Amino acid sequence: MKHYTSIHDIDDINSWIEEAKALKLTPLKHLELGRNKTLGLLFFNSSLRTRLSTQKAALNLGMNPIVMNVSGDAWGIEFGDGTVMNGNTAEHIKEAAAVVSQYCDIIAVRAFPTLTDKVKDESEEVLNAFKKYASVPLVNMESATGHPLQALTDAITISEHKKKDKPKVVLSWAPHVKALPHAVANSFTQAMQKMDVDFVITNPEGYDLSPDIVGDTPIIHNQEEALKDADFVYVKNWSSYEDYGKVVNTEPSWMITKEKLGDAKFMHCLPVRRNVIVEDAVLDSDSSIVIQQANNRTYAAQLVLKKILENA
Ligand code: CP
């Protein structure tokens, strides 16, 4: 594997899950693999988990991570081809990506969507520009439309906690005050489509994800019906795809409660707004596996970096 930019870069999700579990048991076993190699982490947006777990993953492989907050700390980067750069951007991605490639053996990038321009967001302008102009492998740390490191983490976590061969997994929309990206929900959906699970999505009318992502996965607009007999409830807000980037519903009755969760395990990528997305009683109970889930971010990232280093 050269790059990890999408869940489709995973050739066999079950073998990846088993390999990640093995790494978790002996995280320092491959300390020599990354010796004298540098991982550059470029953040156009905020992060807690991705920033720390990806650095930890690199350190576990003996790599040297270097981190930059691109927005604010770096020169404004121009992505347009042939642009007369007499505005706010000072450096073109052609030079920026080429220069960073000389300092790093792998580059990881986080760049969120505009949520105002669907065509631009779906073109994955920032991620694809790095892929085109960098000369080293690229890792997606959450782009406009996908968060494949999170989705690999989620797949590992479900595999660890499942009590039956084919668990029922529900992805449920929940209300939020701000317009949020589709990336986590998209990649989670794609990961579940690769796993042996009974998977359904539930969201209010007007919040269906892109049909290209949903494919044959059932969407049930009645949350109570969808949650019936669930083993895992993965909760996430996303803005409307149809009325692109808009908040068209903040219906509080979609918040996840202990009663709605029943015997299922609660999952969320974090950060989560308490008593908006999910009530305290869920997060503060043993039904919540969000902390264990966040721990697996390290091993998902470590597996991805390991596979790239082995291929170099
Ligand atoms: N889940 C996740 O990507 O968390 P951060 O935004 O804190 O990195």
Side-chain angles (χ1 to χ4, degrees), residues 28-232:
L28 303 181
K29 187 176 172 187
H30 305 278
L31 259 179
E32 286 308 311
L33 185 63
R35 187 74 66 210
N36 299 324
K37 305 271 188 197
T38 302
L39 172 67
L41 298 102
L42 304 181
F43 286 91
F44 288 82
N45 306 95
S46 306
S47 168
L48 185 151
R49 278 143 290 274
T50 307
R51 184 170 175 146
L52 296 181
S53 63
T54 312
Q55 288 185 77
K56 171 92 176 173
L59 291 167
N60 282 352
L61 292 167
M63 296 186 82
N64 302 309
I66 55 177
V67 189
M68 183 165 210
N69 295 324
V70 179
S71 301
D73 288 357
W75 302 108
I77 299 178
E78 176 60 49
F79 290 91
D81 236 354
T83 307
V84 177
M85 289 172 55
N86 58 3
N88 290 329
T89 52
E91 170 157 40
H92 202 276
I93 184 63
K94 291 182 183 179
E95 285 78 47
V99 168
V100 176
S101 298
Q102 296 178 116
Y103 307 148
C104 301
D105 298 279
I106 301 174
I107 298 174
V109 175
R110 165 167 282 200
F112 288 173
T114 63
L115 289 182
T116 54
D117 185 337
K118 186 190 273 193
V119 173
K120 187 174 177 176
D121 290 346
E122 294 201 325
S123 77
E124 289 285 9
E125 182 183 57
V126 176
L127 194 73
N128 282 330
F130 273 98
K131 203 169 183 177
K132 185 170 179 184
Y133 296 117
S135 56
V136 298
L138 181 67
V139 174
N140 179 353
M141 295 195 294
E142 189 173 342
S143 64
T145 66
H147 196 353
L149 284 177
Q150 180 67 53
L152 176 57
T153 301
D154 302 333
I156 296 163
T157 308
I158 287 172
S159 172
E160 282 179 333
H161 288 265
K162 70 178 184 181
K163 297 222 162 46
K164 55 174 85 148
D165 286 345
K166 188 171 181 173
K168 179 174 176 183
V169 180
V170 181
L171 170 61
S172 178
W173 181 92
H176 199 282
V177 289
K178 288 171 67 180
L180 296 190
H182 308 97
V184 168
N186 285 347
S187 292
F188 182 73
T189 297
Q190 292 172 321
M192 291 306 103
Q193 289 165 345
K194 285 176 179 283
M195 287 180 74
D196 190 19
V197 294
D198 173 12
F199 179 54
V200 300
I201 304 172
T202 183
N203 54 258
E205 302 270 2
Y207 275 100
D208 289 3
L209 294 167
S210 162
D212 290 343
I213 299 288
V214 173
D216 295 333
T217 299
I219 298 177
I220 301 172
H221 291 128
N222 180 326
Q223 191 189 40
E224 189 182 342
E225 182 191 330
L227 293 178
K228 208 162 170 286
D229 300 324
D231 297 296
F232 295 91

